[in-house]
Amino acid sequence: MCIRDRYMGEMESPKYQSSTPIRLHDQMAQPASSLLPEGLSPRPSERAQQSHRPLLTENILTTDADEARALITHRSLIPDVEVGGALAANFYFSRWKLAEISSLIFSVTLFFVSIFQYEAQFEDVDSSVEVALLAMMTCFAVILVSFRIYRYNAMMTFYKSQKIYPRHATLHNTGHLWLLICEILLAIPHPNLITQGASFTLYSPSSKVQYTVYVNEIFNLLQLLQSIFIARMVLGLSKYYDVSAQRIMRMMGKPPQFIFVFKAFLVRYPRRTLFSGLFLGVMIFGFAVRICERRCPSPGPKPSVFESFHNCLWITFILIITGILLLFISRNGSWIR
């Protein structure tokens, strides 16, 4: 006797027969484990679904539309960290990316407000406007720190739902705590009302004069480092860092990294990526040169060349192009391969 005939004979035996018919509604209301024969237990995945999924069909046929909608949108339908799967991955990944977008918005706002506040010091602007900008930057910095902490917590929840990290994992034992501290330390030192007017003097050996350096201008220079985290968050919001891309990177034996996203953009959009990086680099480093050299006195009677933002951009562009050409020559040995 083959295995199939033996199995069919056992299923037709009185042990597995029921004299009481089961109605369709009662069968829908019962859990899946109650319909199994005696001696059999549901699989672990079915036990997890039964423990986290409410019996929606229990009263769904006798309630009106409002009660059914309230039952479907119940809090218990939100997937728990222990469940995992595609539903939990998409839910927690969306919450992580929402926190990422919020952090990006406040980072960009703080970045540009810092630039406006610096330029307002050298223009004929009312002091109340500068005070308003400083107070606005303080509020944005506090909100930005809160969103960055929430973003890392949402990221840890997503990784736990995907079983990448265990349930007891924290920011400290996963190595993300130091990145969070760096982001917070770059958001805290910003131009504010407390350090307004605070300064110290430096001596210039070339012109043999002393010049004043303001503390808020140093904070303006530090705020330019926000561009690193802004670029990192923009890369994280791309399609090359979504759930599917991270799963592919883990299948290749490598953790999800932003360098992979940058390489993907270089392969897919080489000209746009290079020219965008060159343009943004010239703008950011040009403004950094303007902050560092604007207070330095000129050796002659003429005003400093760094008073003009165009001169700062041109000097930065020449420096970057010279460095690229030197790197190209050092790797190839000549101008032409």
Side-chain angles (χ1 to χ4, degrees), residues 93-146:
F93 188 79
S94 301
R95 192 174 70 172
W96 175 21
K97 291 308 168 183
L98 181 62
E100 192 104 15
I101 293 173
S102 303
S103 180
L104 176 63
I105 292 174
F106 282 99
S107 297
V108 173
T109 306
L110 184 62
F111 180 81
F112 283 104
V113 172
S114 175
I115 295 177
F116 295 153
Q117 186 272 333
Y118 174 78
E119 294 296 336
Q121 299 179 11
F122 300 92
E123 303 294 337
D124 295 334
V125 180
D126 191 8
S127 60
S128 60
V129 177
E130 185 177 358
V131 171
L133 290 176
L134 293 174
M136 187 186 304
M137 292 179 65
T138 302
C139 295
F140 285 158
V142 173
I143 298 175
L144 179 59
V145 170
S146 303

Side-chain angles (χ1 to χ4, degrees), residues 17 39 77 94 119 204 207 232:
Q17 299 296 328
L77 286 180
S94 301
E119 294 296 336
S204 176
S207 58
R232 186 171 175 266

Side-chain angles (χ1 to χ4, degrees), residues 1-303:
M1 181 184 295
C2 63
I3 300 177
R4 180 177 177 275
D5 296 336
R6 181 181 179 182
Y7 176 76
M8 295 299 297
E10 291 181 358
M11 293 300 297
E12 292 176 358
S13 61
K15 179 180 179 180
Y16 296 100
Q17 299 296 328
S18 177
S19 59
T20 304
I22 300 177
R23 293 179 297 175
L24 179 61
H25 180 270
D26 298 336
Q27 188 174 2
M28 293 174 59
Q30 295 177 0
S33 60
S34 62
L35 302 178
L36 293 176
E38 297 181 359
L40 297 180
S41 60
R43 291 176 297 179
S45 59
E46 296 180 357
R47 288 198 300 266
Q49 294 177 2
Q50 294 170 12
S51 61
H52 293 84
R53 183 179 59 189
L55 297 177
L56 297 180
T57 57
E58 184 175 354
N59 297 320
I60 198 69
L61 300 178
T62 59
T63 55
D64 54 2
D66 296 335
E67 294 179 357
R69 189 180 301 109
L71 182 61
I72 292 175
T73 58
H74 195 264
R75 176 67 181 175
S76 60
L77 286 180
I78 297 178
D80 195 5
V81 178
E82 300 177 356
V83 179
L87 181 61
N90 294 329
F91 175 78
Y92 290 115
F93 188 79
S94 301
R95 192 174 70 172
W96 175 21
K97 291 308 168 183
L98 181 62
E100 192 104 15
I101 293 173
S102 303
S103 180
L104 176 63
I105 292 174
F106 282 99
S107 297
V108 173
T109 306
L110 184 62
F111 180 81
F112 283 104
V113 172
S114 175
I115 295 177
F116 295 153
Q117 186 272 333
Y118 174 78
E119 294 296 336
Q121 299 179 11
F122 300 92
E123 303 294 337
D124 295 334
V125 180
D126 191 8
S127 60
S128 60
V129 177
E130 185 177 358
V131 171
L133 290 176
L134 293 174
M136 187 186 304
M137 292 179 65
T138 302
C139 295
F140 285 158
V142 173
I143 298 175
L144 179 59
V145 170
S146 303
F147 270 113
R148 285 182 174 176
I149 295 175
Y150 176 75
R151 178 168 63 89
Y152 273 89
N153 291 329
M155 180 188 66
M156 290 296 299
T157 306
F158 168 72
Y159 284 151
K160 290 179 182 179
S161 68
Q162 292 297 292
K163 304 298 187 296
I164 301 174
Y165 294 150
R167 293 183 56 189
H168 59 274
T170 59
L171 292 174
H172 178 69
N173 53 29
T174 55
H176 296 289
L177 181 62
W178 304 110
L179 293 176
L180 176 60
I181 291 176
C182 291
E183 294 188 13
I184 293 176
L185 291 179
L186 285 179
I188 291 177
H190 63 279
N192 52 78
L193 294 173
I194 300 176
T195 57
Q196 185 182 14
S199 62
F200 56 93
T201 58
L202 293 177
Y203 178 75
S204 176
S206 59
S207 58
K208 298 181 179 180
V209 294
Q210 291 183 348
Y211 59 96
T212 305
V213 178
Y214 290 89
V215 177
N216 276 350
E217 294 181 5
I218 299 177
F219 291 159
N220 289 123
L221 184 62
L222 292 176
Q223 284 300 313
L224 296 180
L225 297 177
Q226 293 278 355
S227 58
I228 300 175
F229 296 100
I230 291 174
R232 186 171 175 266
M233 285 184 286
V234 169
L235 293 177
L237 294 173
S238 64
K239 62 180 180 180
Y240 300 109
Y241 202 73
D242 57 0
V243 180
S244 302
Q246 292 190 24
R247 188 180 297 113
I248 292 174
M249 282 186 276
R250 286 193 295 269
M251 289 173 61
M252 297 172 61
K254 296 183 179 180
Q257 295 178 350
F258 292 98
I259 190 64
F260 169 81
V261 183
F262 182 70
K263 290 180 178 179
F265 274 103
L266 282 177
V267 174
R268 186 66 178 86
Y269 311 103
R271 293 187 179 90
R272 298 179 188 177
T273 306
L274 290 177
F275 282 104
S276 299
L278 179 62
F279 174 76
L280 295 176
V282 169
M283 295 294 292
I284 294 172
F285 285 105
F287 194 77
V289 170
R290 180 178 174 85
I291 295 176
C292 295
E293 301 292 339
R294 192 171 187 176
R295 294 285 185 180
C296 296
S298 178
K302 296 182 180 181

